[in-house]
């Protein structure tokens, strides 16, 4: 019997903290670009750093959702194998910077993130770039449904949370495509929080018991939806998604890849099982985590690590010697 037979075949509890090292590296390398107006430079630096550190992690990872075709990335592309190859076999979804525009403009809520699950667990939705999503905390389970009008969902969630509708706060990406959605939310009596970018952080905020949002809705990236599902499973919240192709050709690519349209994907369809991990490090300050800070001889990072199987949420603050990074 070969040596490989003794290795674990699924992600274990130590993997999240190993992956944090990669998101920390990506966040630190992106910081010189904060507020400099160069989102491609920031993304390139973060990709290089994340790829370098993932290569040291003891696992056999396959990038199911990466920089991909949308970003024409030479590294961390869909299908790339990462890690040492000696360890658990995993699907991973990566976004070295979720919020490149936020980083370039020096705005809040940019993060570096990685999600991981058992091999074959993640929905490979890279053929369709966007999906319509709705995310809430545990109170929304069995109450909120993407197929319902948004006003009905807002009122149902308010009842479930014991709040007045006027107290409900809904996160929506600030995009022209959401003008009617925003109007409908406000007509229902709820307030909107318009997100400039970064709907992963927005979804986690909506699902967290200490978050500032009650719900996060709208059309955003398919990769972000699958990654968010890994986090929502740890938080016990609700996520539903429906693919939103922009062209007939894109829809055909999705059909050829076995994706379903006019279908509402649940958390278990986006990511199978409960052995999921989600880690994120702040690039700029945000509601989820603080951004990278230079404190004299050290660079401080703040990260979050979530594991669905144990329902564990860990906050990780680390100080790194600046001389090692500059």
């Amino acid at each position: 019997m070969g040596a490989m037979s003794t290795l674990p075949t699924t992600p274990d509890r130590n993997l999240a903290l190993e992956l944090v090292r990669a998101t920390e590296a990506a966040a630190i390398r992106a910081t010189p670009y904060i507020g400099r107006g160069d989102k491609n430079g920031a993304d390139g630096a973060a990709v290089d750093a994340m790829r370098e550190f993932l290569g040291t992690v003891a696992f056999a990872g396959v990038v199911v959702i990466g920089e991909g075709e949308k970003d024409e990335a030479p590294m961390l592309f869909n299908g790339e194998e990462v890690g040492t190859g000696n360890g658990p076999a995993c699907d991973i979804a990566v976004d070295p910077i979720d919020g490149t525009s936020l980083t370039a403009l020096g705005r809040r809520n940019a993060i570096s993130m990685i999600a991981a699950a058992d091999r074959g667990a993640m929905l490979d939705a890279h053929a369709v770039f966007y999906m319509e999503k709705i995310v809430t905390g545990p109170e929304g389970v069995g109450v909120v449904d993407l197929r319902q009008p948004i006003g009905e969902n807002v009122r149902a969630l308010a009842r479930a949370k014991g709040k007045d509708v006027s107290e409900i706060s809904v996160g929506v990406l600030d995009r022209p495509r959401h003008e009617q959605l925003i109007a409908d939310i406000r007509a229902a009596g709820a307030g909107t929080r318009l997100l400039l970018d970064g709907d992963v952080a927005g979804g986690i905020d909506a699902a967290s018991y200490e978050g500032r949002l009650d719900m996060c809705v709208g059309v955003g990236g398919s990769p972000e939806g699958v990654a968010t599902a890994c986090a929502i499973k740890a938080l016990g919240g609700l996520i539903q998604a429906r693919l939103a192709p922009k062209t007939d050709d894109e829809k055909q690519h999705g059909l050829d890849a076995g994706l379903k349209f006019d279908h509402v994907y649940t958390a278990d369809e986006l990511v199978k099982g409960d052995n999921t991990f989600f880690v994120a490090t702040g690039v700029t300050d945000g509601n989820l985590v603080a951004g990278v800070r230079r404190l004299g001889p050290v660079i401080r990072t703040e990260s979050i690590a979530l594991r669905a199987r144990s329902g564990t949420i860990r906050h990780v603050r680390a100080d790194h010697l600046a001389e090692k990074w500059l």
Side-chain angles (χ1 to χ4, degrees), residues 39-51:
K39 69 175 187 178
N40 291 331
D43 193 49
V47 169
D48 289 345
M50 180 175 283
R51 182 63 180 83

Side-chain angles (χ1 to χ4, degrees), residues 13 209 230-237 274-277 305-314:
R13 62 186 180 183
Y209 67 88
C230 290
I232 300 310
K233 287 196 165 201
L235 296 168
D274 67 350
N275 200 27
T276 66
F277 297 81
L306 299 90
R307 188 185 186 206
R309 177 162 289 175
S310 60
T312 304
I313 304 170
R314 286 188 171 88

Side-chain angles (χ1 to χ4, degrees), residues 66-95:
E67 294 290 272
E69 297 172 27
K70 185 166 60 172
D71 298 313
E72 298 181 351
M75 288 192 296
L76 296 178
F77 54 83
N78 302 322
E80 183 176 2
E81 296 182 1
V82 294
T84 64
N86 297 317
C90 306
D91 282 352
I92 66 169
V94 303
D95 200 341

Side-chain angles (χ1 to χ4, degrees), residues 134-222:
I134 189 165
V135 183
T136 74
E139 299 90 347
V141 176
V143 172
V144 167
D145 194 299
L146 191 58
R147 289 159 286 214
Q148 297 176 166
I150 187 61
E152 189 174 333
N153 279 326
V154 166
R155 290 186 289 271
L157 184 61
R159 288 192 298 271
K161 298 189 78 167
K163 288 185 173 184
D164 189 84
V165 172
S166 64
E167 297 178 275
I168 294 294
S169 180
V170 183
V172 186
L173 283 173
D174 189 7
R175 301 289 187 272
R177 62 179 178 263
H178 290 148
E179 286 182 5
Q180 188 60 53
L181 176 62
I182 292 166
D184 290 344
I185 292 167
R186 292 171 177 170
T192 55
R193 299 294 183 270
L194 301 186
L195 310 175
L196 296 172
D197 209 340
D199 65 342
V200 174
I204 295 172
D205 188 36
S208 173
Y209 67 88
E210 59 183 358
R212 299 181 183 183
L213 299 177
D214 298 286
M215 180 188 297
C216 194
V217 296
V219 175
S222 297

